[in-house]
Amino acid sequence: MLLYLNSFLVCLNTAFWSVLICCFALIKMLLPIPVLQSGVTRLCNGMMWAWATVNQKLLNLTSNVEWDIQGGENLRKDGWYLLICNHLSWTDIVVIFSVFRNRIPMAKFFLKQQLLYVPFLGMACWAVDMPFMKRYSRQYLLKHPEKRGSDLDTTRKSCERFRHTPTTVVNFVEGTRFTNEKKRQTRSPYNNLLPPKTGGIAYTLGAMGDQFDAIINVTVAYPDNHHLPFRDLLSGKMKKIVVRIDTLPVDENVKGDYFNDKAFKRRFHQWLNDVWEEKDVRLDGIYGNEQPEVDITERRKTAV
């Protein structure tokens, strides 16, 4: 019963704010005045904050979740961040908005450009300045080599609006939610993660790398509700949510021409694989596997 009640309330909350955002999106579209558009965007971001806050209040009323959050003390609402995270469930999105809505600028997700034309969804995402990414397949580029690099230019243009507006861009580096079946299919070398995909994060850094103050590396875990966390959250059965936050520098390991510089591409792959290996060890500790939970910052100092 609680599952259906919470699902209904969360859907109602989402629909309410989505309709409001779409209404203001029409104003933004019909009155292309920069000052007005900027004001509408700020208002819509406020609506996203209200949506996330109401969702958390609703779920807190019907569950008794223990939040175990460590790190992120130096984050700012007026900064520019790339947030990377492991991905297990739709719950991850709820967690990100709940934990970070008062710490950093409202989270934005890179979306495929085709979603811009989806009724209501595309308009709402456009209203809150979600960046749209246009990517050509390898097969397309083989037939149309003149298009090589134009997809990155399109992504850069989509990010131009963030140059003067503090922004957080979220990237689920695995590209999909973790399951044991996907782990087998991808032959993942990790116990708790899928192999990281470099393409999406490389596009984000290629488009906005000079603007980011830091990379926020988030590790999310549900130790007692690992298999069906979203259903358990809506059912009031979620016992504990663990969030670990590490701030990584935007340095020579992540700044470079990923698509044309082979040496940098190898270095970037190695950097991301190292981050993912440390994340997997941390998850082993949280889930009570072979390794104790480690402090990633201390481990990195020891390695140096």
Side-chain angles (χ1 to χ4, degrees):
M1 180 64 182
L2 194 55
L3 171 63
Y4 298 112
L5 176 62
N6 276 337
S7 298
F8 171 75
L9 292 175
V10 169
C11 288
L12 184 64
N13 179 48
T14 302
F16 173 77
W17 292 111
S18 296
V19 170
L20 272 183
I21 290 173
C22 284
C23 291
F24 281 94
L26 287 173
I27 297 174
K28 185 176 177 180
M29 185 182 300
L30 296 174
L31 298 174
I33 303 170
V35 174
L36 180 60
Q37 288 187 325
S38 178
V40 169
T41 298
R42 287 195 298 271
L43 182 59
C44 290
N45 282 332
M47 293 179 189
M48 282 185 67
W49 179 90
W51 165 79
T53 301
V54 171
N55 274 344
Q56 185 181 28
K57 298 294 184 184
L58 287 173
L59 295 171
N60 283 345
L61 286 173
T62 55
S63 60
N64 187 26
V65 179
E66 176 189 351
W67 288 84
D68 180 359
I69 304 170
Q70 295 180 18
E73 292 82 5
N74 297 322
L75 300 175
R76 311 189 321 270
K77 288 280 287 185
D78 61 347
W80 279 260
Y81 300 107
L82 169 62
L83 189 154
I84 61 175
C85 185
N86 59 304
H87 194 19
L88 184 65
S89 159
W90 288 105
T91 315
D92 306 336
I93 297 174
V94 177
V95 169
I96 287 172
F97 277 109
S98 296
V99 172
F100 291 100
R101 74 186 192 284
N102 292 322
R103 297 185 182 214
I104 58 178
M106 190 56 59
K108 306 293 174 66
F109 295 83
F110 259 110
L111 304 172
K112 294 180 180 179
Q113 194 173 47
Q114 293 91 325
L115 292 176
L116 180 61
Y117 307 104
V118 176
F120 298 106
L121 175 63
M123 185 178 292
C125 291
W126 176 77
V128 296
D129 279 350
M130 293 280 184
F132 289 89
M133 178 185 294
K134 184 175 183 179
R135 297 183 65 184
Y136 295 116
S137 66
R138 183 187 300 271
Q139 292 77 13
Y140 181 88
L141 290 175
L142 288 174
K143 295 180 180 179
H144 304 275
E146 74 280 0
K147 292 291 186 179
R148 190 175 300 275
S150 63
D151 46 0
L152 183 57
D153 289 337
T154 301
T155 304
R156 284 199 182 103
K157 290 176 182 176
S158 180
C159 295
E160 278 297 315
R161 71 197 74 178
F162 300 138
R163 190 162 296 279
H164 305 291
T165 304
T167 303
T168 302
V169 177
V170 179
N171 191 300
F172 290 115
V173 183
E174 294 159 295
T176 184
R177 287 171 286 170
F178 175 91
T179 65
N180 286 323
E181 179 60 30
K182 291 175 184 176
K183 177 184 172 182
R184 286 191 292 270
Q185 290 175 355
T186 59
R187 298 181 180 178
S188 174
Y190 309 105
N191 294 329
N192 314 283
L193 301 165
L194 300 179
K197 295 184 177 181
T198 55
I201 186 174
Y203 264 79
T204 306
L205 288 164
M208 293 183 62
D210 291 334
Q211 294 175 242
F212 290 127
D213 295 316
I215 297 171
I216 305 173
N217 177 29
V218 179
T219 303
V220 177
Y222 315 100
D224 303 300
N225 306 85
H226 185 67
H227 298 292
L228 294 169
F230 194 54
R231 189 197 66 179
D232 290 348
L233 181 66
L234 292 175
S235 301
K237 297 178 181 178
M238 179 68 71
K239 295 181 180 180
K240 184 177 182 179
I241 296 176
V242 177
V243 182
R244 297 291 181 262
I245 307 166
D246 298 287
T247 304
L248 308 179
V250 181
D251 56 18
E252 67 278 358
N253 289 312
V254 299
K255 293 177 67 175
D257 188 348
Y258 177 88
F259 302 97
N260 297 298
D261 185 342
K262 291 184 178 180
F264 170 73
K265 186 174 183 177
R266 286 193 296 270
R267 188 165 70 247
F268 184 82
H269 273 271
Q270 186 60 54
W271 171 84
L272 187 55
N273 287 333
D274 288 345
V275 170
W276 232 237
E277 182 180 350
E278 291 174 338
K279 188 185 293 287
D280 194 46
V281 171
R282 168 164 280 173
L283 286 168
D284 274 337
I286 293 171
Y287 288 129
N289 296 334
E290 296 179 0
Q291 300 293 331
E293 184 180 354
V294 297
D295 186 300
I296 289 180
T297 304
E298 290 302 318
R299 176 174 171 171
R300 188 174 290 112
K301 288 179 181 177
T302 303
V304 172

